Each structure stands twice: as C-alpha cells, then as structure tokens.
Amino acid sequence: MNNYKLVIAYDGTRYNGWQRQGNTENTIQGKLNEIIGKYLGEEVDVIGSGRTDKGVHAKMQVVSFKTKKSIDIEEFVTDINRYLPQDICIMEASPADGRFHARLNAVSKTYEYIIDNGEVPDIFFRKYSYRVEEHLDTDAMRKAAELLIGTHDFKSFCGNKHLKKSSVRTITDIRLIETTGKVYIYFEGDGFLQNMVRIMTGTLIEVGTGKRDYKSITDILEAKDREKAGFMAPPEGLSLTKVEY
Amino acid sequence: MNNYKLVIAYDGTRYNGWQRQGNTENTIQGKLNEIIGKYLGEEVDVIGSGRTDKGVHAKMQVVSFKTKKSIDIEEFVTDINRYLPQDICIMEASPADGRFHARLNAVSKTYEYIIDNGEVPDIFFRKYSYRVEEHLDTDAMRKAAELLIGTHDFKSFCGNKHLKKSSVRTITDIRLIETTGKVYIYFEGDGFLQNMVRIMTGTLIEVGTGKRDYKSITDILEAKDREKAGFMAPPEGLSLTKVEY
C-alpha cells in the first residue's frame, strides 16, 4: 500500500464538521473519501489530524490515506481540486512514509479564533469571525491566557461530559493579536479536547468584557467542572491553522 | 427637509446590484429604502454615489437621503444596522448640507479588483476575488494600465452599447499591488461607465497571461469598439472602496 499526506483547507460553514458522527452526513471527511475514492476507483479512508466541529474552518488540516495505486502528485492535486466543491481545497500532496498517520503522529496543533470587535461589523468577515460589540480589554485577556498555558487538566473546558480518557493537555502558547477592529487569538498545544478552544475563547471574551476576573481561570481549572467556565464561542470564528509532526 | 449622508458597506453576492433596473427586485438601494423608510415612518429615496453591478461589493459606498424627521445619529446607526441583513452595514452617518447629493457631488471614485492568482485557490476569498490559474505578468499589466490612465473616450470599455451620453472619462490612477497569491488592482477616476472597471480588468488579465500585448491598449481606446477590448471580469472580484467629494 502507498501512503500519502495531504494539506487541505476548508470553509466549514456548510458542513457537519470533519467527521461523520452517528447518522450525520455532509462532512469534510466524507466528501474527501467520496471524491478521492471515485478518482482512484477504490475505497479510501482519509485520516485527519483531528476532528473539527460543525461550522469550524481549516486553513491547514493534515490528512493521510493509503491506496494500492501510485499517484502522480501534480495531476492528482489538479484533478481532485477540480472535482471538490469550491469550499474544500487540497493545497499540497506528498508521498509519506508507510508508518505516517495524520492523527497519531501529530505533535502540535494551532487554532486561530477571530473576533470582530470593530465599531461596526465587518460584513466581509461575518462567516469567519464572531462579532463582539462590547470593547474587549485585551490586557486582561492576555493575563487570563497566561494562566491557561501549561499542562493542566482541562476538564472544565471540555464539551464532552462523558469523556472517559484523560483530559490533561499541554498548551504551549496563547497569543492575542489586535488589528483594526479585530482580535486574533492563537492557541497552540499538543492536542485539544472537544469544544475546548471555543470554551477557552468564550471564557477569555468574558474576561475581556469584564464579566469575569482574569484570576478566575485558576479556579475554573481546579474545579474540573464545565459549568465553571465561560460560554462556548460559536464555530464560525474558529480555524485550524497549523499541524506539526 | 433634513439631509443625511451615510457611508455603507455591502456584500453584493446575493443582490441584483445597487439599483432597481426594470422589474428587477432585491437591490441594495431597495433594501435601504425599505428599512430606513419603515424606521422613519415615511417614504425615503436613498441616492448612491453610483450604481454597482449585480454581484459587485462595496467597502465604502456613499449615500444621501432627505427626511422630514430629525435623526439621532448614533441611535439611527445602531437601530438600522440591527434591522438590515448581515450583508449590508451602515458604517457612518452624519447630517449633510441641504445641497449635498451623493451622486452629483462625487468627484472621484476608487474601485478595487482582487485576483486570486496563488498556486492553489484561496477558498476563503472565493466570493470576493476572481480566480486566475495562469501566472500573471504584473509588469506587463502595469505597462498596460499606464496607457489607460488619463482622459480618454472609453467607449471600447463600456458594457452599454446604446449609451448616448459622452463616454469620455478621466482615470487618475491605476495601481497594482501583489501580495502572496493575490493581485489587487485599484482604479481611481472621476467616474466609470457601465461595466468599465470589469472590462478594463479583463483586458489587463489578458495582457498578464500573454494573450494580448500591453501596447494594444492604445488601439483599443482608438477603436471605440467594445469588441476590441478584453473579456468582462466577473463581478465577485470587484468592490467600490472610496468615494470622494
């Protein structure tokens, strides 16, 4: 079997997330399996570096898949991009070592959350950002972010109440970048629990609007209780932007 | 009567352009007249600085309208933005001199055309750019643009074959800016004929892909014949970005 690695981008707006869950159709993974499978004339099972929620985007998702066929890379990328809908795109493809696995080998991931915080909404960003009208105190948000960095049990920031595996993760960095009317938050870590980035973002927004003190982060982490953390920020502001191996 | 000036932005994707033409409904102007009229409880007729084609965007369109009412500006902007659909937004409002007319007083307009020319498509820009796969020779395009600058009869670049008025216009500047994977073209002039920016863009793209020599611009202008110019670039890449008075 040949093993291939793809770097892809997708606009998650109209999809039910990366992976099929239960009976849910219309997923990014399903679309890739369908198009690549048809093209190669065999069933393929693309493996993503991780799931993204319904409505979440990826500027860089990494995928691996195995096939009996040997692929002409350049032709493959051109052809598959032609068959894929306009909101999914293969950016790079390369042959991979037979042992390469997009999910198991990922050592670090970066997510970007975009908040539209200008005086008036940026209508051209409305599908790729979350609009917050109140002024955000980004200094307070940075202090809160500092307390999230490190190795912690992030149970309070996990959307899956029935998680049986460990909820300990390591966040290596959280950076806030302000541009005119926007706040970009970059979360880098070894992995993230279900909804974790969106719950961290919601909590940081509550700090930024003064609803919550930045110091409360320590208590939230200690509580290991989802109820203690902030709201879950909506998916449209979130993109997976980097996966490292 | 009180006179007001608005600066607005809109995503033109799902509209039939700025202005109602014949029986065509679903225009930006119609939507503004409807919402502002309902709010003020009187019929209003908003005047735009100029028309934009079906599917064309505006990052800054200027509008004026008269009303018997006296408006609380801040409240008006907040309320109207709440009633407007997410793809139209008032960015600024101010009381205007009674003689101010958004169309007749405009002295200069700038349009932006965005070409997605990267190795792979930028899916997040697909509704706000035109995808050109072939590499663009921007040096040749700049030389062609130079020949368009100035006061000329732009009949060859006019989409309206039955235009009876003068087709002489002055283009004060055309700038090409390249960023990673994108080419931005800015057209500044005292006014533009119907489809003129899109036909100039199509012609510049044909120069950029080598289909046409940059020197042919002189012949096209002289011919005063639409058939001599290039194709009309699609509307999604075009935005009105500045109106000066």
Side-chain angles (χ1 to χ4, degrees):
Chain A
M1 293 287 267
N2 294 304
N3 196 15
Y4 292 95
K5 177 186 169 188
L6 306 178
V7 178
I8 65 166
Y10 50 84
D11 176 338
T13 308
R14 66 184 188 96
Y15 293 96
N16 287 317
W18 167 257
Q19 197 164 34
R20 200 164 293 157
Q21 289 172 314
N23 282 327
T24 316
E25 289 295 324
N26 195 33
T27 63
I28 320 286
Q29 190 198 38
K31 191 52 91 174
L32 285 166
N33 280 343
E34 177 199 328
I35 304 284
I36 297 174
K38 261 189 205 166
Y39 181 81
L40 297 176
E42 75 184 60
E43 218 168 276
V44 296
D45 184 23
V46 303
I47 297 157
S49 72
R51 292 175 182 187
T52 51
D53 291 348
K54 177 178 160 73
V56 170
H57 319 293
K59 293 180 181 167
M60 181 191 154
Q61 163 75 291
V62 177
V63 160
S64 62
F65 72 95
K66 298 197 173 188
T67 169
K68 286 173 210 147
K69 303 272 163 58
S70 176
I71 290 171
D72 176 323
I73 293 290
E74 210 173 312
E75 200 179 279
F76 176 81
V77 172
T78 308
D79 289 346
I80 296 294
N81 278 341
R82 203 154 286 158
Y83 291 124
L84 281 172
Q86 282 200 311
D87 47 14
I88 306 177
C89 178
I90 300 181
M91 304 174 76
E92 277 176 51
S94 53
D97 186 281
R99 288 160 304 182
F100 176 75
H101 187 287
R103 182 166 53 82
L104 299 177
N105 296 149
V107 293
S108 166
K109 276 182 209 165
T110 304
Y111 279 92
E112 171 191 64
Y113 200 98
I114 307 180
I115 302 167
D116 178 3
N117 194 225
E119 273 189 47
V120 291
D122 182 343
I123 58 165
F124 297 100
F125 252 73
R126 68 191 189 285
K127 290 181 177 169
Y128 309 117
S129 64
Y130 170 51
R131 171 86 185 139
V132 174
E133 303 232 339
E134 296 156 270
H135 173 74
L136 290 174
D137 176 351
T138 45
D139 287 336
M141 291 169 78
R142 280 197 184 90
K143 285 180 193 162
E146 277 296 320
L147 297 173
L148 288 167
I149 296 173
T151 303
H152 304 285
D153 187 335
F154 285 96
K155 200 166 192 304
S156 295
F157 296 91
C158 179
N160 179 359
K161 284 178 188 165
H162 309 292
L163 185 78
K164 284 178 186 142
K165 295 181 194 167
S166 164
S167 44
V168 174
R169 293 291 183 278
T170 299
I171 296 188
T172 46
D173 198 14
I174 303 178
R175 271 173 306 133
L176 268 83
I177 295 172
E178 294 157 86
T179 64
T180 317
K182 305 265 188 325
V183 178
Y184 293 77
I185 314 179
Y186 293 91
F187 300 87
E188 189 188 318
D190 63 351
F192 296 91
L193 303 165
Q194 195 175 331
N195 309 139
M196 179 172 156
V197 180
R198 291 165 60 192
I199 298 169
M200 289 194 293
T201 301
T203 308
L204 291 179
I205 289 171
E206 290 179 5
V207 169
T209 55
K211 278 197 199 80
R212 166 188 297 276
D213 194 277
Y214 79 88
K215 290 174 190 152
S216 69
I217 298 292
T218 312
D219 298 334
I220 300 172
L221 285 168
E222 272 172 19
K224 293 178 188 122
D225 175 2
R226 169 68 189 93
E227 300 300 312
K228 299 289 185 224
F231 79 109
M232 178 164 73
E236 60 267 27
L238 186 62
S239 298
L240 175 61
T241 56
K242 201 155 109 183
V243 187
E244 288 181 294
Y245 290 92
Chain B
M1 293 288 265
N2 295 302
N3 197 16
Y4 292 94
K5 178 186 169 189
L6 307 178
V7 178
I8 64 166
Y10 49 83
D11 175 336
T13 308
R14 66 185 188 97
Y15 293 96
N16 287 315
W18 167 256
Q19 197 164 37
R20 200 164 293 156
Q21 289 173 314
N23 282 327
T24 315
E25 291 294 324
N26 194 32
T27 63
I28 320 286
Q29 190 198 36
K31 192 49 94 176
L32 285 166
N33 281 342
E34 178 200 325
I35 304 284
I36 297 175
K38 261 189 206 165
Y39 181 80
L40 296 175
E42 74 184 59
E43 219 166 273
V44 296
D45 185 22
V46 303
I47 298 158
S49 71
R51 291 175 182 186
T52 50
D53 292 346
K54 179 180 159 72
V56 171
H57 320 292
K59 292 180 182 167
M60 181 192 154
Q61 162 75 292
V62 177
V63 161
S64 61
F65 71 96
K66 298 197 172 188
T67 169
K68 289 173 207 144
K69 302 274 164 59
S70 176
I71 290 172
D72 176 323
I73 293 291
E74 210 172 313
E75 200 177 279
F76 176 82
V77 173
T78 308
D79 288 346
I80 297 294
N81 278 342
R82 204 154 284 158
Y83 292 123
L84 281 172
Q86 283 201 310
D87 47 14
I88 306 179
C89 178
I90 300 181
M91 303 174 77
E92 276 176 53
S94 52
D97 186 279
R99 291 160 302 184
F100 177 75
H101 188 285
R103 181 166 53 80
L104 299 177
N105 296 149
V107 294
S108 168
K109 275 181 210 166
T110 304
Y111 279 92
E112 171 192 65
Y113 200 98
I114 307 180
I115 301 166
D116 178 4
N117 196 224
E119 272 189 49
V120 291
D122 181 344
I123 57 164
F124 298 99
F125 252 72
R126 70 192 190 282
K127 290 181 176 169
Y128 310 116
S129 65
Y130 170 50
R131 171 88 186 138
V132 174
E133 303 231 339
E134 294 156 272
H135 173 74
L136 290 174
D137 177 350
T138 46
D139 287 335
M141 292 170 78
R142 280 196 184 90
K143 286 180 191 162
E146 277 297 320
L147 297 173
L148 288 167
I149 295 174
T151 303
H152 305 285
D153 187 334
F154 285 97
K155 201 168 192 305
S156 296
F157 294 92
C158 179
N160 178 1
K161 283 178 189 166
H162 309 294
L163 185 77
K164 283 174 187 145
K165 295 181 193 165
S166 165
S167 45
V168 174
R169 293 291 184 277
T170 299
I171 295 187
T172 46
D173 199 15
I174 302 177
R175 271 173 305 134
L176 268 83
I177 295 173
E178 294 156 86
T179 63
T180 317
K182 306 266 188 323
V183 178
Y184 292 77
I185 314 179
Y186 293 91
F187 299 88
E188 190 188 317
D190 63 350
F192 296 91
L193 303 164
Q194 196 175 329
N195 308 140
M196 179 172 156
V197 179
R198 291 166 58 193
I199 298 168
M200 289 194 295
T201 301
T203 309
L204 291 178
I205 289 171
E206 289 178 7
V207 169
T209 54
K211 279 198 197 77
R212 169 188 295 278
D213 194 276
Y214 79 88
K215 290 175 190 153
S216 68
I217 298 292
T218 312
D219 299 334
I220 300 172
L221 285 167
E222 273 172 18
K224 293 177 188 122
D225 176 1
R226 168 68 188 94
E227 300 301 312
K228 299 291 186 221
F231 79 108
M232 178 164 73
E236 60 267 26
L238 186 61
S239 299
L240 175 61
T241 54
K242 201 155 109 183
V243 187
E244 288 182 294
Y245 291 92

